[in-house]
Amino acid sequence: MTSAIRHVTIDSSDAYALGSFWSEVLGLPLHEDDKPGDEEALIEGAGLLFVTVPEGKSRKNRIHFDLQPQDRTREEEVERLLALGATLAGDRRRPDGTGWAVLTDPEGNEFCVERSAGERAVD
C-alpha cells in the first residue's frame, strides 16, 4: 500500500479570506460549508486546505505553486491575478517570451505564473 496526498495544507492568518483568493485564482469554489471566520477553508477540487494559525509567515516558502494559464496568455493571467490582490515579487520573464513571473498572494506566499500551453507551442 502507498499513501495519497489528500490535501495540501496552507497556514494563514485568515483561512476563509486566503481560501477565497485562491478560489478566484483557480476558478474553483470553496466548500459549501465554509463561511467567513471559519478556522479552515477547503477548495476540494484542488485539494487545498487553508487553516488559520496564530503566527505569521516568516520566510520564503519551501513549496510553491507554478500556475499555467488555461485560456489566456501569461501576461493576461498576471494582470488578472494582480487585480485579485496578488503582488508582483519577481520578474523572470525574458525578452524572447520565456521565463515566468513570481507573485505573492495577499498573505505573502510566493507562486509563479508560467506561459500557457499555447504560448509554449509557438517555440
Side-chain angles (χ1 to χ4, degrees):
M1 296 286 272
T2 61
S3 292
I5 296 174
R6 179 172 167 164
H7 299 121
V8 174
T9 303
I10 300 163
D11 292 349
S12 61
S13 61
D14 182 335
Y16 186 83
L18 192 59
S20 294
F21 169 82
W22 281 101
S23 172
E24 289 292 322
V25 168
L26 300 173
L28 296 169
L30 285 176
H31 191 276
E32 62 189 25
D33 293 338
D34 293 333
K35 306 286 183 266
D38 285 353
E39 297 281 316
E40 298 180 354
L42 174 64
I43 302 175
E44 209 162 21
L48 298 178
L49 176 64
F50 300 87
V51 297
T52 301
V53 297
E55 59 277 349
K57 183 176 182 295
S58 61
R59 59 181 62 120
K60 185 179 182 309
N61 298 18
R62 298 281 306 224
I63 185 172
H64 69 266
F65 301 124
D66 288 340
L67 304 180
Q68 183 180 45
Q70 299 299 296
D71 59 356
R72 59 184 57 98
T73 67
R74 176 189 58 208
E75 304 315 316
E76 291 168 333
E77 184 66 348
V78 167
E79 290 305 314
R80 183 180 81 87
L81 298 174
L82 292 172
L84 288 175
T87 302
L88 183 64
D91 197 340
R92 304 272 184 345
R93 295 172 283 190
R94 299 184 193 106
D96 68 358
T98 61
W100 60 92
V102 180
L103 283 73
T104 60
D105 69 19
E107 290 201 13
N109 300 300
E110 299 88 2
F111 64 97
C112 297
V113 181
E114 299 179 354
R115 294 180 297 160
S116 68
E119 290 172 297
R120 290 174 183 272
V122 174
D123 288 345

